[in-house]
Amino acid sequence: MIKIYNSLTNKKEEFLPIDKGHVKMYSCGPTVYNYFHIGNARPFIFFDVVRRYLQYAGYNVKFIQNFTDVDDKIINRAIQEGTNPKALSEKYIEEYFKDADALGIKRADAHPKVSDNITQIISLIQRLIDKGMAYEKDGNVYYRVSSFAGYGKLSKQDINDLEAGARVEVSGEKEDPLDFALWKKKKEGEIYWDSPFGQGRPGWHIECSAMAFSYLGEQIDIHGGGADLVFPHHENEIAQSEGATGKQFSKYWMHNGYINIDNKKMSKSLGNFFTVRDIAQEFDLSTVRFFILSAHYRNPINFSRDLIKAAENSLERIYNAKNNLDYLISLNKNSKADDDNEFNEELNKYKKQFCDAMDDDFNTADAIAAIFELVKFININADENSSQNKLYAAQSLLNELTGVLGIAQSIDTQMLDKDIEELIEKRQQARKDKDFALADKIRDELKAKNIMLEDTKEGVKWKRI
RNA sequence: GGCGGCAUAGCCAAGUGGCAAGGCAAAGGUCUGCAAAACCUCUAUCCCCGGUUCAAAUCCGGGUGCCGCCUCCA
C-alpha cells in the first residue's frame, strides 16, 4: 500500500487513484527563460521518481509537465538578449532537455507549452466569467476570489489574514486585492493573442489548470511542485479548476522542500543559485540526482560542492558492486544452474525493504539505505565461486532497484583500446616475473589515462575513473 | 502580525512510543608484492527544561536557535 503525504490535508494518506490502476499526474515545469538551477531540478527529479515507482508498482501512469513559455520574465529577457520571446523560450526548452537527460529525468508523456494551449485557456476563462467567478475590466480578466469558498484550503491561509497582509493594490482595477489575473491586456510591443476579452495573454496560474484539463481531464490524482508554489500558484489553480467544474481538482498534492545555500532558499530572485549547467562542469549530473534523492523530498537540502563530492564517493560504492558483479559473471567460472533458495530469499528481503520505504511517501533516503544493504550483502556473498544463477539474480535485483530511482545507471560498456589492453597484458607478465617496479609504473601510466586497475585472485579488473 | 517547517555522530541523513538505519570522512585490522576494492572493528547523554507513560528521538507543555510562505519563484 502506497502512502502519500497530501499537502491538502497535511497527512499521510493511502494512495487510491480515481480510476483503479491508472494514475494521472501533473507537475509544474519550468519557465523557460534561462538554464534551470538545482533548486528547480529537485521537483523534476523527484516527480520523475514518483512516476517511475508508481509504474514499477504496476500503475499505468500518465504524467504531464508543462513549459511556461509566455511570461513577463521571458519577455524581459528576450528584450535584454535582443531576441524574441518565442526564440528564447524554444532555446531554453532545448537546453532544459539536455540537462534533464543528463539528470536521468525521463520525458513526460507530454510537455505542453502555454503558447500551444491558448484556445483551451481562453475557454476556461470564459467558463469562469460565465459562472460569475471572473470579471473583465478594461481588457484584463481577474478571478473573483470571494466567489470560491475553499480559497486558502491548500495553504491553510484564512482569507481575512491574507487580506490584512496583502500588498497595497497598484492598479485599483481589481475588486479585491486577492483577485488575480487570468488574462492580461496586451502592452505595446508584447506578444499577444486575440480573445473575446480583447488582445492579450494568459496570466500565470490559469495555464496549469487548462493544460491539466486538456491532457488529463478535470480531475487528476497527483499534482506536484516545489513548496514555493503552494501559495499562490497552486491555491489559485484549485480556485480556478474547482470553481469552473465544481469538482475536486487534484486528489493528492505533493510539494518538495527547497534546496538551500547556507541554509537559505536557493532562488533566482535571491541570485544565490547554481544552474545545473554550472554544476555539470565539475560533476557528473547523475551524482546530483543521487544527492537530491539521498534526503527525504519534503526536507530541505543544503547544497555545497563538498556534499556533492561526498555523494559522489557514496555512489561509487554502488558502481563498484555493479562492476564487480559484471566481472564475476564475465569469469563464468561456475555455470551450475543451482538455484539457491536461501540466497534468493535474502535478496527478496532487500527488495521488500526498498519497496516498504518507497511505499511510505516515497522515502528515497530509506530506499537508498536498502540498496546499500543489498550492496553489502552482495559484496559478502557473491564471489568467483558463486553460480551464474546467483550472480544474475543479484545483478538483476540491483539493476532493478537502482533503475527505479534512476541512479548508478551509467555503466561503462565501452571496450578498451588495443594499446591499453596490451599494456595491461604487459603488466600482468611483469607481475608474474616479479618485476613490480615495471608493473607499478604501467599501473601509474594507465591511471594517468584514467584507467584504474585492481588485482583480484582471478585476474585483473579495470575501470574508468 | 497570520500560517507552516526544522533541530539526530566530525559531516550528510532515515527513523512518530519498545535495545538509535544507511552513507561520507577519520582510525585500527584482515586480504594484497604494493595499491585498489571488499570485509571486520570503532565513533550518538537524539537542542534545552518540565510533563505523560512500565517505556519517549518519537506524545504534551514551555524555552532557545534556524528556515520558509503570506510578493515573481521549483
Side-chain angles (χ1 to χ4, degrees):
Chain A
M1 179 179 81
I2 295 175
K3 284 192 190 167
I4 291 181
Y5 182 89
N6 191 350
S7 309
L8 200 55
T9 57
N10 280 159
K11 282 194 189 91
K12 271 187 206 172
E13 297 172 6
E14 182 177 353
F15 177 61
L16 291 168
I18 297 162
D19 296 326
K20 199 173 176 222
H22 293 262
V23 180
K24 288 171 283 198
M25 63 183 280
Y26 185 98
S27 167
C28 291
T31 300
V32 277
Y33 67 107
N34 196 352
Y35 300 106
F36 62 92
H37 62 66
I38 342 196
N40 299 307
R42 190 173 192 187
F44 304 155
I45 292 166
F46 174 67
F47 290 106
D48 176 63
V49 168
V50 170
R51 174 211 202 178
R52 288 177 192 232
Y53 185 68
L54 290 172
Q55 285 175 332
Y56 179 70
Y59 289 101
N60 188 319
V61 182
K62 189 163 183 194
F63 176 51
I64 307 298
Q65 183 184 290
N66 68 294
F67 283 117
T68 297
D69 68 342
V70 177
D71 176 89
D72 288 340
K73 294 188 288 289
I74 295 172
I75 293 169
N76 294 336
R77 182 73 181 248
I79 293 167
Q80 272 174 30
E81 295 196 2
T83 177
N84 64 70
K86 184 145 185 69
L88 185 89
S89 61
E90 272 170 11
K91 175 189 167 192
Y92 284 111
I93 286 172
E94 236 173 80
E95 302 298 341
Y96 166 86
F97 283 121
K98 283 185 199 162
D99 290 332
D101 288 347
L103 287 166
I105 298 166
K106 286 188 182 165
R107 302 296 165 105
D109 293 296
H111 288 275
K113 289 180 269 190
V114 176
S115 61
D116 289 337
N117 288 275
I118 302 294
T119 317
Q120 290 84 338
I121 291 170
I122 290 172
S123 69
L124 181 56
I125 294 173
Q126 190 60 58
R127 213 168 147 186
L128 288 165
I129 293 176
D130 293 346
K131 287 189 83 172
M133 306 192 84
Y135 54 94
E136 190 249 308
K137 275 269 173 71
D138 189 30
N140 290 304
V141 180
Y142 298 101
Y143 186 90
R144 183 176 281 126
V145 167
S146 62
S147 72
F148 184 67
Y151 198 80
K153 68 180 177 180
L154 180 67
S155 53
K156 279 86 190 166
Q157 295 287 340
D158 186 280
I159 195 160
N160 298 311
D161 294 335
L162 282 170
E163 296 264 8
R167 266 191 172 178
V168 181
E169 182 50 22
V170 189
S171 87
E173 246 182 16
K174 295 191 215 169
E175 290 174 0
D176 186 300
L178 287 179
D179 291 352
F180 56 90
L182 299 174
W183 188 260
K184 295 179 171 177
K185 183 182 172 178
K186 176 184 93 164
K187 288 192 199 121
E188 205 44 50
E190 278 186 8
I191 183 168
Y192 70 91
W193 286 264
D194 288 319
S195 83
F197 355 102
Q199 294 179 332
R201 60 190 167 91
W204 175 38
H205 316 293
I206 193 70
E207 62 184 65
C208 288
S209 295
M211 289 188 277
F213 280 13
S214 67
Y215 286 82
L216 296 169
E218 295 185 350
Q219 292 192 284
I220 67 175
D221 296 296
I222 297 173
H223 192 122
D228 45 356
L229 296 184
V230 171
F231 193 91
H233 186 55
H234 288 161
E235 195 71 72
N236 291 353
E237 274 188 57
I238 290 176
Q240 296 158 346
S241 307
E242 302 190 355
T245 67
K247 294 182 289 197
Q248 183 175 52
F249 176 39
S250 180
K251 200 169 172 190
Y252 305 91
W253 288 83
M254 298 179 73
H255 294 97
N256 60 272
Y258 302 118
I259 295 207
N260 296 153
I261 296 282
D262 297 329
N263 285 316
K264 287 232 163 39
K265 176 182 171 183
M266 182 187 293
S267 76
K268 285 180 179 170
S269 51
L270 289 180
N272 63 344
F273 65 91
F274 293 86
T275 66
V276 163
R277 197 58 65 90
D278 293 333
I279 305 305
Q281 307 271 330
E282 228 179 307
F283 296 99
D284 191 305
L285 291 184
S286 60
T287 304
V288 172
R289 181 185 181 96
F290 176 80
F291 169 70
I292 284 175
L293 294 176
S294 65
H296 186 89
Y297 77 92
R298 281 187 281 117
N299 287 345
I301 300 184
N302 249 315
F303 171 84
S304 75
R305 286 191 164 74
D306 288 349
L307 292 172
I308 300 284
K309 184 67 203 159
E312 193 174 49
N313 293 343
S314 189
L315 236 197
E316 188 67 17
R317 189 172 160 77
I318 300 175
Y319 277 119
N320 283 339
K322 285 195 166 192
N323 285 331
N324 194 237
L325 281 172
D326 283 346
Y327 174 73
L328 293 174
I329 287 169
S330 74
L331 292 175
N332 197 18
K333 208 177 157 194
N334 180 350
S335 53
K336 276 200 313 246
D338 64 329
D339 271 318
D340 189 325
N341 285 330
E342 204 181 317
F343 185 83
N344 287 328
E345 268 169 37
E346 280 295 306
L347 289 183
N348 268 326
K349 219 178 70 186
Y350 296 107
K351 178 173 173 168
K352 183 174 185 305
Q353 188 185 342
F354 176 90
C355 290
D356 285 349
M358 292 299 284
D359 282 350
D360 184 14
D361 194 31
F362 308 96
N363 192 334
T364 54
D366 258 352
I368 286 172
I371 289 175
F372 277 112
E373 291 187 35
L374 171 64
V375 162
K376 174 163 275 188
F377 173 77
I378 290 172
N379 286 339
I380 292 173
N381 292 286
D383 60 32
E384 63 278 357
N385 295 313
S386 303
S387 72
Q388 291 288 91
N389 272 17
K390 265 186 170 180
L391 296 175
Y392 277 123
Q395 183 184 52
S396 145
L397 182 62
L398 188 54
N399 286 342
E400 184 178 314
L401 302 187
T402 51
V404 172
L405 298 182
I407 57 171
Q409 297 299 292
S410 48
I411 283 291
D412 190 359
T413 51
Q414 239 185 309
M415 299 299 283
L416 288 174
D417 292 337
K418 194 101 187 148
D419 53 328
I420 303 271
E421 276 187 14
E422 279 165 12
L423 276 171
I424 293 176
E425 216 24 68
K426 196 171 154 195
R427 175 170 172 276
Q428 288 301 84
Q429 190 55 48
R431 289 184 66 223
K432 262 184 211 159
D433 301 341
K434 304 251 185 272
D435 185 355
F436 295 119
L438 177 62
D440 290 351
K441 188 174 155 258
I442 295 174
R443 185 167 61 194
D444 289 345
E445 221 174 283
L446 288 171
K447 197 171 177 185
K449 294 182 180 178
N450 293 324
I451 303 289
M452 173 92 115
L453 296 187
E454 295 176 12
D455 298 319
T456 75
K457 279 184 199 148
E458 301 297 321
V460 65
K461 269 169 72 179
W462 60 270
K463 65 178 178 185
R464 287 199 171 79
I465 50 172

